[in-house]
């Protein structure tokens, strides 16, 4: 698990649900063995170390979740709603842009004529 967290080329999908918020903000231990709190703390530390810029976290809201279930520190980033934002989510995971920037044409020539 740590190798994936440390590999900066790997995108991390944060599946947001009411249970996720309860797991990461609650006082209890990780009783279901998913290491949710540990992973949450690791990605939060990385987010802070990156100056609160999100390079690889992909938060996805499931149908039973709302934006209030997203941890406060992650609310400033793009949040995808499943299944409404499926196309945008796939583009993000493939690291592709929705809109392709047109190529620049030939260099312009500037001609100055005195009057």
């Amino acid at each position: 698990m740590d190798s994936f967290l440390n590999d900066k080329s790997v995108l991390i999908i944060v599946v947001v649900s009411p249970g996720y918020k309860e797991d990461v903000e609650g006082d209890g231990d990780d009783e279901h063995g998913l290491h949710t709190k540990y992973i949450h703390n690791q990605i939060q530390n990385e987010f802070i170390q990156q100056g609160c810029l999100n390079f690889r976290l992909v938060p996805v809201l499931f149908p039973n979740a709302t934006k209030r279930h997203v941890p406060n520190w992650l609310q400033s980033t793009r949040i995808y709603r499943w299944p409404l934002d499926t196309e945008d989510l796939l583009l993000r995971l493939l690291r592709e842009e929705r809109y392709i920037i047109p190529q620049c044409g030939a260099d312009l020539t500037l001609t100055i004529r005195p009057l």
Side-chain angles (χ1 to χ4, degrees):
M1 175 176 39
D2 281 332
S3 65
F4 289 115
L5 290 172
N6 294 329
D7 183 355
K8 303 302 182 195
S9 68
V10 174
L11 292 175
I12 299 173
I13 299 173
V14 181
V15 177
V16 179
S17 67
Y20 177 76
K21 183 161 178 104
E22 186 178 310
D23 283 348
V24 298
E25 293 182 356
D27 294 331
D29 289 336
D30 187 7
E31 61 236 17
H32 39 70
L34 297 176
H35 307 290
T36 308
K37 274 191 177 184
Y38 173 76
I39 295 169
H40 175 80
N41 289 336
Q42 293 297 97
I43 61 176
Q44 183 179 20
N45 288 337
E46 178 182 324
F47 184 79
I48 292 168
Q49 289 172 358
Q50 295 290 337
C52 297
L53 298 174
N54 181 18
F55 295 107
R56 66 185 193 131
L57 301 176
V58 183
V60 179
L61 278 179
F62 270 28
N64 60 340
T66 63
K67 192 169 180 177
R68 68 182 175 89
H69 293 115
V70 177
N72 290 335
W73 60 270
L74 198 53
Q75 289 190 5
S76 64
T77 190
R78 169 74 158 95
I79 299 169
Y80 299 89
R81 291 171 289 144
W82 182 261
L84 299 175
D85 299 328
T86 303
E87 186 176 343
D88 290 338
L89 178 60
L90 289 175
L91 288 171
R92 174 70 177 112
L93 295 176
L94 294 172
R95 298 174 191 236
E96 293 184 10
E97 296 293 329
R98 175 181 287 279
Y99 304 104
I100 299 171
I101 299 172
Q103 293 181 352
C104 294
D107 290 338
L108 298 175
T109 303
L110 180 62
T111 307
I112 301 174
R113 295 184 193 162
L115 296 174

